[in-house]
Amino acid sequence: PAIGRLLPGRSGSDPDDRLGRGELFESVLAALTVLSRSRPVLLVVEDAHWADPSSRDLVGFLLARLRDGAVGVAVTYRSDDLHRRHPLRPALAQWARIPVVARVAVQPLPPQDVRSLVDAVSTHPLDDYDIATIVTRAEGNAFFAEELVAAAEQCAESDHLPEDLADLLLVRLDRLGDDARSVVRATAVAGRQVSHDLLADVAGLPADRLEAALREALDAHVLEVSSSGRGYLFRHALLAEAVYDDLLPGERTRLHARYARVLAEQTDASAAELARHARASHDLETAFRASIRAAEEALSLAAPQQALQHAETALSLAPLDDLALRAELVVLMAEAADAAGHARRGERVARAALADLPDSASPRIRARLLYAQVRCAVAGEIDHATLAATSDALRLTAGTTDPFRADLLALHARVALIMGREVDSERAVDEALELAERTGRSQAATEVQTTRAILERRKGRPEEAAALLSEVIERARSSGDRPAELRSRFGLGSLFEEQGDLEAAEREFLVTAERAAQLGRPWEAFGLSSRVQGAMLQHARNDWTGALRTLDAAGERPPPLPQALLAAGKLVVRAGRADLGVLDVLARLKPMWSADGRVALYSGRAALQIYEHTGNWRAALDLLDELVQVLGSLWLDPWFLARIEFSTLALGALGKAAAGLPTDKRAELAAPGSRLLEDGRRSSVEGLPRGRALGVEGQAWLARLEAEGLRLRWLIGADPPAADDLVGAWQRAAGAYDYGNAVQAMRSRARLAAILRTVGRAADAAAVAEEVRATAAGLGARPVLDELAPAVQTARASRREPTTGLSALTDRERDVLRLVQAGHSNRQIAGKLYISEKTVSVHVSNILAKLGVRSRTEAAALARADAE
């Protein structure tokens, strides 16, 4: 009854009709108890930090008395809103002492749960970087995550703090006194965190007032003590953003100037912090000097992205008339850009600086800029102009003992090696080593030792090369020479791969990629290359899930070119599963082909596999022509070795098309098939440097090329090979991949099974099919499973059907026998059944064997007798 009197329209106007406190509390308890007799009851009291005293007392009353029955009470409150004198604090202390009460501190959501929340509440897909940014900024707060998602969907600038959320966050400051608000604002200008001593110097308050203000901000849960115990940070990063954005422009500038002044007087202050505050307070001279120091510090601390930003800032502030200083800054920026994966940007800046350089500039300045340009260029595709640039730089420094010349010689040796000029490279290596030892240029010495190891490899001395690379790796690691360490590690992985030891190569590449990430250089050329090459080897060794995981850069925000390369690598795995979406991604990646040939290599390989699976031979030939044009230009040779693989895949597409064409339409495939076969063969010879032999991978693809050529001739009936020759070619092709390329061995054996079935060796076909079917099924390799299906069906049928007599004939053999009975020749049967004449001959041989007869006439008579 007491509760009923509280309902709308039920309370009377009689002044004596008042509820007694005890009566109301007992009535609520009784109502809950009655309800719980028929079903469990949960009473939820939300936002208890806003509850009035009577509501808090009612909750305490219920918690103390609800000991029996199926009644539960959940009371929620925001601990951030409980300052030291908040009235809920004593109530919580009392409730916690009640035996049946359990207190649960709800922790921030883990990142993966915030990501799931973002996926659930977003109305359209967000890119990986936006999602990662939201997850990071929300810091486990579900409400903040939802607000940031809404902002990202409404505003192109996903880093923008939503105005409504900012207003909500700033409400917390309204409870603070003037001193506390002043301290919080000073902290916001410092960033997320600030030391006590630095804040004290900037805030300018007496010690007692500062401590009182900090205590107030801590009690209000605006700030909290840092984990080190020496400073303070905002309870939430978004609150720091809101407070900073709320500052007036003049107020913000004055606070930054105070920070810059204090930091400038400290010998151990962070150069990056000083540069930031000086720039924000318009002290450009201080910002310039600090930015240079910050860039150098960031490079030494494995933060190349930050180093690049500081170097660019310094370059923008540098005096225009100090050419030597600007050249050094360009070199610094190039080093940072290369390490951060933005080598193309560094190359553009160096080229622009060279173009603007007056004729009066000293030779050394020009040589320094050429060095910066080439250092970035070698991270991508180079040409003869790159070699000419290092040659010009050496000419400009000829006759000097400048230690920088050792760096130039090391770079020139590397470029000459890439361009296939081994003699020039070796000459530069020797000179660089001599000069580096004389001038103490240890990094140049380490760099040329890596080049020397690669030269040893090209001379056919892999053991010497491996030993030298291992030595360079240890030397570079101990001396902190990060670029040399990564290049040498990549070289060792490449050596293992070239020798056919794919397991060791995969391990070395993945270790190198992990090491690059540890060094803050995940997008540097050799760190990125190791990651992608390691994934390709995972794919080759049938670890497709691992390959996709290695290539997944969710939340990392790679630069555009590394992002394209990772995407191209994923296509290879997707193509193996017959994912036709590969072709859509291919179209988006084509603009990046000329920037890095590997983007074309991997995406082209994937698309050719799709065309092979679908039999779209015209598209395959068109794509192959595009790839040859782009890669032939980039690699300065139209007969590059990868063309063997491309020609083989295109031949496979012709074969798939031939199998589905009428006999009279197959002849048109002969000419393109012959051209592909000849192109692949020519690439296997002309794609090699003089004096070098084809490696195990090249030999395997060449064997597969020859087998595909024979298969096409068989299918189109143009000078078809003998059945044993065809089978032998595919057996050799499958065996050639047994050095470790499991995926190509699987694909070759699947085709071998199909060939065996076609030539009438059903039992052998079934055995080969069973050998690879389980692996293909586990990988989801749909093209392989489709090719295996007939042989697998034959195997299953052979286990339950007779092997002799009319009942042993397959459906296709019955069709052939019916036409034989009608008096048709093999050529006529081939035309009617849309198969090759050679295939008809095989079917006829199988029919005679199963029926136990010696001629077509006997077979026809036996069939006629059975029908009668």
Side-chain angles (χ1 to χ4, degrees), residues 202-218:
V202 171
L205 292 174
D208 55 342
R209 287 174 58 189
L210 175 64
E211 291 174 1
L214 284 169
R215 174 61 64 187
E216 187 177 354
L218 292 168

Side-chain angles (χ1 to χ4, degrees), residues 763-800:
D764 292 338
V768 174
E770 288 295 334
E771 180 184 343
V772 297
R773 185 188 61 80
T775 300
L779 295 172
R782 176 51 49 195
V784 174
L785 292 172
D786 289 349
E787 192 154 25
L788 289 173
V792 171
Q793 290 170 0
T794 299
R796 292 171 178 170
S798 67
R799 288 195 290 266
R800 61 177 182 271

Side-chain angles (χ1 to χ4, degrees), residues 195-378:
S195 70
H196 179 89
D197 293 341
L198 181 57
L199 180 60
D201 289 339
V202 171
L205 292 174
D208 55 342
R209 287 174 58 189
L210 175 64
E211 291 174 1
L214 284 169
R215 174 61 64 187
E216 187 177 354
L218 292 168
D219 287 345
H221 296 286
V222 173
L223 300 179
E224 59 185 26
V225 177
S226 65
S227 58
S228 66
R230 300 193 189 95
Y232 311 95
L233 69 158
F234 277 87
R235 178 80 170 188
H236 201 285
L238 291 183
L239 180 55
E241 289 185 40
V243 174
Y244 184 83
D245 291 344
D246 192 54
L247 292 172
L248 296 173
E251 183 181 18
R252 190 179 301 158
T253 300
R254 285 193 300 274
L255 284 169
H256 277 298
R258 289 185 203 169
Y259 274 108
R261 190 162 52 250
V262 173
L263 289 170
E265 295 172 355
Q266 298 177 356
T267 57
D268 59 345
S270 163
E273 286 299 298
L274 176 57
R276 180 173 72 88
H277 290 298
R279 192 166 62 253
S281 61
H282 313 301
D283 181 358
L284 300 186
E285 178 61 29
T286 301
F288 169 62
R289 294 194 305 271
S291 294
I292 296 175
R293 276 203 300 128
E296 293 169 344
E297 286 180 2
L299 272 177
S300 67
L301 295 173
Q305 184 64 50
Q306 289 77 9
L308 176 59
Q309 294 169 359
H310 293 308
E312 287 179 324
T313 299
L315 189 58
S316 69
L317 298 174
L320 295 177
D321 57 350
D322 194 337
L323 299 180
L325 176 57
R326 292 185 66 84
E328 294 307 313
L329 290 175
V330 171
V331 173
L332 178 63
M333 183 200 164
E335 182 181 357
D338 180 33
H342 291 283
R344 297 178 75 196
R345 189 197 307 181
E347 185 181 1
R348 285 195 300 269
V349 171
R351 284 184 182 277
L354 278 166
D356 293 340
L357 200 63
D359 294 338
S360 59
S362 71
R364 190 180 193 279
I365 290 176
R366 190 174 299 276
R368 291 292 282 170
L369 292 177
L370 286 169
Y371 174 82
Q373 173 193 322
V374 175
R375 182 187 178 102
C376 289
V378 293

